[in-house]
Amino acid sequence: MTATAADATLPRGKVGDPFSSAWRRRLPLLPALLYMVAITQLPFLVSIYYSLTDLKDKTQSLIPEPTKFVGFENYRRIFSDPFFRQAMWTSVKMTVLSVVLSLFIGTLFAVLLDRKFFGRGLIRTLLITPFLLMPVVAALIWKQQMFSSLFGVLNKVLTFLGLSSVAFISDHPLGSIVTVLVWQWTPFMMLIVLAGLQSQPSDILEAADVDGASGFGIFRQLTLPHLRPYLELGALLGSIYIVQAFDAIDVMTGGGPGSTNVPYYVYQESIGGGFRYGSASAYAIVVVVFSIIIATLALRLLSSLFRDEDRA
Amino acid sequence: MTDAERRGTKLGIGERRSVVIGVGALAWLVGLLWIFPVAWTVLTSFKTEDDAAAQTLHQGLSFGRYSDIGHSTQGTLSLQSAFTNSLVVVLVSTTIVMLLALPAAYALAIRPIHKWRDVLFFFISTKFLPIVASIFPIYVYAEKWNLIGTRTVLIILYIAINLPLAIWMLRSFFKEIPRELIEAAEIDGTNLYNQLRTVILPIAAPGIAATALLCVIFAWNEYFYALQLNFASASTMPQWVTSNVSTRGNFLAKLSAASVIACLPVVIAGWATQKRMIRGLSMGALK
């Protein structure tokens, strides 16, 4: 893993380096690359194979052998499965709602925290805390302490105000889960937007202020365009994690109607009780194809963020 | 700090005192509202179970629930073993992540290889693959190789979870190292290991610490793999917390105490590094 002196004096980033030297440059990268290929790509290939079989585990003996090769039968069935369609729709709603809301609230918080006021550091510390909590704990706190119709604080308040109590989780499963996700991810978005706000050159803002621009005008015309890459980054990173939400669903509803997203549905179909590994793998592959389409779009977006760096 | 200076100049302009106070009050309100569920849970953890269930406070506060959660029924996951499992899994996986990510980030940032961007995209794109898409093959092979219920399988998977993020963040911190320093080391013919040790690590140390801590946080908080691949007695802290939910009798105070204990290490670590973590995340794409 060492670069020789000769290698080190080569011009940086020159296309068409001698083969051996190019490989010496890549060498430090290889362990990480091979590891990721082995752990993430190989199981995926196995999943593709399973998806073409009618692999089931009726006895739940944990190691079933593929019984029959069924070709694309599993895939054909996916598109007539109303539960899968529902799970797709739930996934979209859950992710978009959570990302948009946390980004919006996070931006508001960031604008607040960009001002100077007494105790700013303390408030920032308080605000980021939900992001640091275990997702399982965050979901438990909201389920048991806030939403519960038995002990929930929210229902105590509603009753105190003379209103009738609400069965939050059973009547509004999606809303309850989105609440927890937004609560956890708003601080994350806030910190990213805050990094953006604080990297804004202040002389331009001052110039605009001297020219008599209104506060809102400055925000809309100068700050918002400057923040755009930060907002995009927040949306990207948030989506990566939120689209895979599992913990909150498992803890809060255990996947009732309206709150089962695609990952949870695939889980229920396979190791979560269905044990229909063949068809569950097909679902998973379809999800991956969708993810790749969305990820390609997202990374295209990201590559515009990288553009300036290409000089390296 | 230049940050503070700039803030100072940026303020003053055309800002009335009432506005400053209003902004401060609003921020305090928002902050307290956001932390309320956490604060309430911390309070509940000191209550008796009766008080907790009724959301009242008649019987005073004590550390009683914290000693309760130390005791567990035979055969279930105890706090001690969950904590040990978590600690081992988190520390070992984070160490390996850093050992793999440091050279990789070097090859992507300091002496970028041809097509470095494609490689970085590959790493990030693995985060888009739904975990469920590969959990079953992983499950089958873990079973074949007798890894179910071990810490090893969690370590292997947590490395894969955190490696892309670590490379992404380290790359951005490495980008901030002044070129001249690295070029000087290169002209001296220093090899990669020595470059890392004498030039890069000292400068990027705060960023490296922040990266490692983010890996620790994600590994400590991970629930899905721990639930699927590890049965009760060998699992980690998230599963131990959920084991405090009881179907018989009141459990809210005990659950709150368990939640506090389970989250405290990571929350403190996160508080300590909040600024750097975000710098690493955002600069990765933006600098």
Side-chain angles (χ1 to χ4, degrees), chain A residues 44-64:
Chain A
F44 179 57
L45 292 180
V46 177
S47 269
I48 293 182
Y49 168 66
Y50 286 155
S51 75
L52 302 174
T53 69
D54 71 341
L55 181 56
K56 278 195 229 45
D57 183 13
K58 284 192 185 126
T59 58
Q60 303 184 11
S61 55
L62 302 181
I63 303 224

Side-chain angles (χ1 to χ4, degrees), chain A residues 1-3 5 7-8 12-13 15 25-26 28-29 31-33 35-37 39-41 43 46-47 50 55 62-64 105 109 112 114-120 122-130 132-137 140-142 144-146 151 153 156 182-183 186-188 191-192 195 197-200 202 205-206 209 229-230 233 236-237 240-241 244 246-247 250 263 266-267 271 277 284 287-288 291 295 298-299 302-303 305-306 309-310 312, chain B residues 3 6-7 9-11 13 15 20 23-24 26-28 30-32 34-38 40-41 44 53-55 100 103-104 107-108 110-114 116-117 119-123 126-140 143-144 156 159-160 163-165 167-168 171 175 179 183 186 191-192 217-218 220-221 223-224 227-228 237-238 241-242 245 251-252 255-256 259 262-263 266-267 270-271 274-275 278 281-282 284-287:
Chain A
M1 211 183 280
T2 54
D7 184 18
R12 188 187 313 275
V15 181
R25 278 171 159 236
R26 284 174 204 150
L29 189 71
L33 197 59
Y35 192 93
M36 287 313 288
V37 170
I39 303 295
T40 65
Q41 309 299 300
V46 177
S47 269
Y50 286 155
L55 181 56
L62 302 181
I63 303 224
I105 304 173
F109 286 6
L112 268 182
D114 193 39
R115 309 296 201 95
K116 196 149 73 179
F117 59 85
F118 174 73
R120 190 168 69 146
L122 176 69
I123 293 299
R124 189 186 56 217
T125 304
L126 291 185
L127 277 173
I128 64 157
T129 306
L132 300 169
L133 298 185
M134 280 179 192
V136 170
V137 165
L140 279 173
I141 287 180
W142 278 90
Q144 306 289 355
Q145 296 268 40
M146 299 292 130
F151 334 102
V153 174
K156 299 268 179 211
V182 169
W183 183 65
T186 293
F188 179 80
L191 284 174
I192 286 194
L197 285 174
Q198 302 196 334
S199 70
Q200 201 176 13
S202 53
L205 294 178
E206 278 168 35
D209 195 69
Y230 290 86
L233 179 70
L236 176 78
L237 290 174
I240 289 178
Y241 285 93
Q244 308 223 16
F246 175 89
D247 306 8
D250 196 44
V266 176
Y267 160 76
I271 51 179
Y277 296 124
V287 177
V288 169
S291 303
L299 288 178
L302 201 66
S303 66
L305 304 180
F306 278 109
E309 237 183 83
D310 212 20
Chain B
D3 182 43
R6 211 191 49 237
R7 231 99 295 275
T9 55
K10 182 172 150 189
L11 252 181
I13 16 176
E15 199 115 86
V20 177
V23 165
L26 188 59
W28 271 86
V30 159
L32 294 178
W34 219 249
I35 199 70
F36 173 76
V38 177
W40 194 260
T41 301
T44 305
Q55 302 287 11
L100 291 171
L108 292 175
I110 290 174
R111 291 170 52 73
I113 56 162
H114 188 46
W116 61 269
R117 192 189 293 168
V119 177
L120 190 61
F121 280 0
F122 165 72
F123 281 119
T126 61
K127 298 292 303 176
F128 281 100
L129 288 182
I131 286 174
V132 289
S134 54
I135 183 69
F136 178 56
I138 288 174
Y139 192 88
V140 167
E143 178 78 29
K144 262 185 196 158
I156 292 172
I159 294 169
L163 194 51
L165 197 69
I167 291 175
W168 161 285
R171 183 187 150 274
K175 281 253 151 218
R179 269 268 151 89
E183 273 160 16
E186 279 174 356
N191 65 28
L192 171 61
I217 292 174
F218 279 119
W220 183 268
N221 290 349
Y223 173 68
F224 181 73
L227 181 70
Q228 303 311 329
M237 291 297 278
V241 175
T242 59
V245 177
F251 58 86
L252 210 50
L255 176 66
S256 299
S259 303
C263 291
V266 150
V267 167
W271 282 347
Q274 41 180 303
K275 277 188 176 170
I278 289 312
L281 280 175
S282 48
L286 303 174
K287 198 170 166 164

Side-chain angles (χ1 to χ4, degrees), chain B residues 56-116:
Chain B
T56 54
L57 184 51
H58 298 306
Q59 296 164 341
L61 302 171
S62 74
F63 280 96
R65 305 298 80 66
Y66 286 89
S67 66
D68 291 350
I69 54 173
H71 308 293
S72 60
T73 350
Q74 199 71 37
T76 60
L77 181 68
S78 72
L79 170 59
Q80 287 83 349
S81 55
F83 192 87
T84 316
N85 288 336
S86 272
L87 202 65
V88 170
V89 167
V90 166
L91 291 184
V92 174
S93 71
T94 303
T95 308
I96 299 176
V97 164
M98 298 312 280
L99 288 178
L100 291 171
L102 283 170
Y106 175 91
L108 292 175
I110 290 174
R111 291 170 52 73
I113 56 162
H114 188 46
K115 297 206 174 205
W116 61 269

Side-chain angles (χ1 to χ4, degrees), chain A residues 270-283:
Chain A
S270 58
I271 51 179
F275 297 105
R276 288 176 290 274
Y277 296 124
S279 56
S281 295
Y283 290 123

Side-chain angles (χ1 to χ4, degrees), chain A residues 159-178:
Chain A
T159 324
F160 179 78
L161 295 174
L163 301 166
S164 56
S165 61
V166 180
F168 288 100
I169 293 181
S170 47
D171 287 355
H172 310 282
L174 184 67
S176 302
I177 289 167
V178 167

